[in-house]
Structure formats: structure tokens, C-alpha cells
Amino acid sequence: MEKKRKYHFQITAQHIDFQKRVSLSSLFHLILKTAGKDADNNGFGLLKLQSDDYTWVLSRFVVDMERYPLENEEITIETWIQDVGAMFTTRNFRITNGDDKLIGYASSSWAVINMKTRESVLLDTLPSLNNFVLPETTPIGTPTRIANVKGDVANRFEVKYSHIDVNGHASSPFYIQWIADCFSLDFYLTHKLKRFEINFLKEITFGDTGEVYRELKSTNDYYFQIVTREKGIACRARLTMR
């Protein structure tokens, strides 16, 4: 039984930003795609859960990159389950380039919810999860709680058709796009993203409107809070730049 697997991707035009580097939201999407593929291979993927009226939801996430790959580069994302608790499970990722050189790590915390009640369920609902646990950490640690953010409004959004995924809420890569759009092109020309962390607190659904608050805590260390008019605080995040 494989507890670690590697998945291979090529960075194409659809993944890159104006500097021809993979965008943060695209890298995040590829990491989530890796998690989904591995869950499918292990027998507890999204479609399997949804057939029993359950689904996976991402609670927390952190990624730390030495550099972001360019267009046409190939990357490998290796993944494994670090632990399984009562309500949350930790899944880690190791990211390498085409020469098998380490370029980053990521870690994520997941829960399972009942699709009808939208409430969390105990993970002993999926006893097979424990068969794939490999208690191996990464140098970046697991995602942690982000404290309340103040700051000023740096972006606004409205949730529309194209934002909604199969779980009936806004897909998580869009949260990252709303946060990333808080900066100008000139800012990205002079700053390089090192680390990104996010806590998902509430579901955002069709028609919701909101604002992204940004607070500079210290040099190159930015905190964010997504607040919807309908549901209040929906997520918090942190970007550390070089």
C-alpha cells in the first residue's frame, strides 16, 4: 500500500501570470488537484464521498516556495497524509522541479461535512483514512490559526456562476484571486511571494458580496480578512513577500 505518491504537471499558459510564472491561485489549484487525485487513488475521493452525501472541505492551508516555476516547466507534487484526528486530517506536499530539485512545501487541513446539514462529521466515518497515515512532517509545519485582521479595504467582489464548484459554494482558488488582486502590477514586479497561509471560516455562496481587508503587520508581511455582507468573516490569510 502506497502512503506517498507523486503527481506530475506541466506549467502551461493557463497557469501563469503576466511575468510568465505560475500564479499563486494556479499553484494552489494544482496542489488541490494532487490532493483530489490521491484521495481518489486511496478510495475516499470526492465522488465517493458525495455518493454518501458527504464532501471534503479545506479548512487551512500553507505553502512556502523558494521560487515559482515558469511557463513550460514541469513540476512534481508528492503528497501524503500526516495524521488523522477526530475532525481534521493533515495532508502534506513536497514540490520539485523537472530536475527533481526541491522548490517548495505545502500543508493542508481538511474536514468532512454532511452535504445536507453542512455540518462537520467525525472522521471515523472514513476508517480507511488511517491506513494511509505516514507521520512525516515538513520544514514549514502545519497551517495555524490566523488572528483577527483590521486594515483597510483593498478589494471587493461578488460571487457569480463561474465561482461556484460542485460543493455549491465559491471554489477556494477564487478566495486567493481576490486576495492576490489587492496589489498592483508594479508591486509584483518588485516583490516575490515567499509564503502564503489561509484559514477558511465560512462558506461563500452564490450572490454573496464582500470586501477584502489588508493590513501590513511588518515589513513585507501582509494579513487579509475576507468579510461578506451576508455571513460576516469568511476567511483570513497571510502573505509574506521577499
Side-chain angles (χ1 to χ4, degrees):
M1 179 184 298
E2 289 184 271
K3 295 186 177 182
K4 259 188 181 184
R5 291 194 186 91
K6 294 181 179 181
Y7 298 86
H8 306 283
F9 302 95
Q10 184 174 30
I11 305 304
T12 64
Q14 66 178 322
H15 299 127
I16 60 173
D17 64 9
F18 75 106
Q19 297 185 87
K20 297 187 177 181
R21 294 190 183 92
V22 66
S23 68
L24 177 60
S25 60
S26 291
L27 178 64
F28 178 75
H29 175 75
L30 293 176
I31 292 172
L32 294 196
K33 190 173 182 179
T34 299
K37 285 185 173 184
D38 202 57
D40 285 337
N41 287 332
N42 291 344
F44 41 78
L46 186 63
L47 293 179
K48 175 65 173 66
L49 262 66
Q50 289 186 337
S51 67
D52 296 320
D53 290 325
Y54 297 119
T55 191
W56 286 108
V57 291
L58 181 61
S59 175
R60 296 177 180 177
F61 176 85
V62 58
V63 60
D64 195 304
M65 300 291 291
E66 287 301 315
R67 73 172 189 87
Y68 284 76
L70 300 170
E71 184 179 12
N72 296 323
E73 277 197 64
E74 293 184 356
I75 64 170
T76 296
I77 304 179
E78 184 177 39
T79 187
W80 67 97
I81 297 172
Q82 178 180 313
D83 56 53
V84 178
M87 303 291 290
F88 298 96
T89 179
T90 302
R91 177 179 283 279
N92 294 332
F93 308 87
R94 182 177 183 270
I95 307 163
T96 56
N97 66 8
D99 297 322
D100 200 33
K101 182 179 179 181
L102 177 68
I103 58 174
Y105 286 100
S107 183
S108 55
S109 177
W110 298 80
V112 173
I113 65 169
N114 184 302
M115 293 183 68
K116 294 179 178 178
T117 66
R118 312 307 285 185
E119 294 180 352
S120 297
V121 299
L122 295 174
L123 288 181
D124 58 12
T125 303
L126 302 174
S128 60
L129 268 176
N130 291 288
N131 297 329
F132 295 92
V133 170
L134 180 65
E136 181 179 316
T137 61
T138 73
I140 69 170
T142 55
T144 57
R145 179 181 177 275
I146 299 172
N148 190 53
V149 178
K150 297 179 181 179
D152 301 314
V153 174
N155 194 16
R156 291 179 171 86
F157 64 90
E158 179 180 353
V159 180
K160 299 185 178 180
Y161 157 78
S162 60
H163 299 129
I164 303 300
D165 63 16
V166 295
N167 288 329
H169 57 213
S171 183
S172 48
F174 288 110
Y175 290 67
I176 296 175
Q177 287 186 15
W178 295 327
I179 291 167
D181 285 345
C182 289
F183 298 103
S184 69
L185 296 187
D186 287 341
F187 178 88
Y188 284 110
L189 287 171
T190 56
H191 297 76
K192 298 294 181 289
L193 177 61
K194 169 64 177 170
R195 184 182 177 98
F196 174 74
E197 304 173 57
I198 189 166
N199 295 174
F200 295 97
L201 304 175
K202 292 181 182 177
E203 294 182 288
I204 299 178
T205 53
F206 181 80
D208 287 349
T209 56
E211 299 167 327
V212 185
Y213 290 82
R214 181 183 65 195
E215 180 180 2
L216 179 62
K217 295 275 191 178
S218 60
T219 304
N220 292 327
D221 193 5
Y222 293 87
Y223 284 69
F224 302 85
Q225 190 157 276
I226 292 180
V227 182
T228 67
R229 297 186 181 93
E230 295 76 13
K231 301 181 178 71
I233 300 171
C235 97
R236 296 188 179 103
R238 180 184 182 187
L239 278 174
T240 306
M241 311 297 294
R242 289 190 179 89

